[in-house]
Amino acid sequence: MEYTFDEAVNSFQKACEYGKPKNKTFGSEQIQVANAIIELLRKEYAPTVEMTQQQKDVFLLYKKMTWFDLFLSKLNEPDNQEFSTLPDLSCFDNWGISKEREIELMQAWIHPEIIKVVDE
């Protein structure tokens, strides 16, 4: 069975609330260690990617209508005439260009549920 990180945390918390998963009781230290491990794994494998609502909407529109490399090409070369018919990405002007940012975008492309909407 596959779980998202949130589902795993919720499942674990429910098990701890009942106090007897598989006839065992977890101590508070064990619960803290398990939660810490889950959070470390979440940061490594499903980090939150913060976007404004407008960025998220445009990003998901691109995801629905095209490929990731086309999105990145438009983002990195907004004045390229070859991409002129694609929706504007000026809302990403403050995003910056770096390998780390592209990795964040790719993770959000694959798992849009990790996008966290923040104030503009």
Side-chain angles (χ1 to χ4, degrees), residues 54-120:
Q54 181 184 12
Q55 287 171 330
K56 180 180 178 182
D57 292 344
V58 171
F59 183 78
L60 294 178
L61 174 68
Y62 266 82
K63 180 173 171 43
K64 185 185 283 188
M65 65 181 248
T66 191
W67 300 274
F68 181 72
D69 63 335
L70 201 54
F71 170 81
L72 269 187
S73 295
K74 174 72 172 185
L75 184 64
N76 291 330
E77 299 179 63
D79 298 325
N80 186 325
Q81 289 303 310
E82 189 177 336
F83 310 126
S84 63
T85 59
L86 295 171
D88 180 53
L89 291 177
S90 60
C91 62
F92 283 91
D93 283 351
N94 65 345
W95 194 261
I97 299 172
S98 71
K99 182 178 178 180
E100 290 79 19
R101 294 303 266 178
E102 288 182 4
I103 290 170
E104 285 182 355
L105 290 169
M106 176 54 89
Q107 289 170 327
W109 191 273
I110 295 169
H111 296 285
E113 67 275 6
I114 67 172
I115 298 172
K116 177 183 178 187
V117 175
V118 295
D119 294 334
E120 294 184 43

Side-chain angles (χ1 to χ4, degrees), residues 18-32:
Y18 293 124
K20 294 187 180 181
K22 296 184 182 178
N23 298 322
K24 294 182 182 177
T25 303
F26 291 115
S28 62
E29 287 180 16
Q30 291 170 310
I31 293 169
Q32 288 175 345

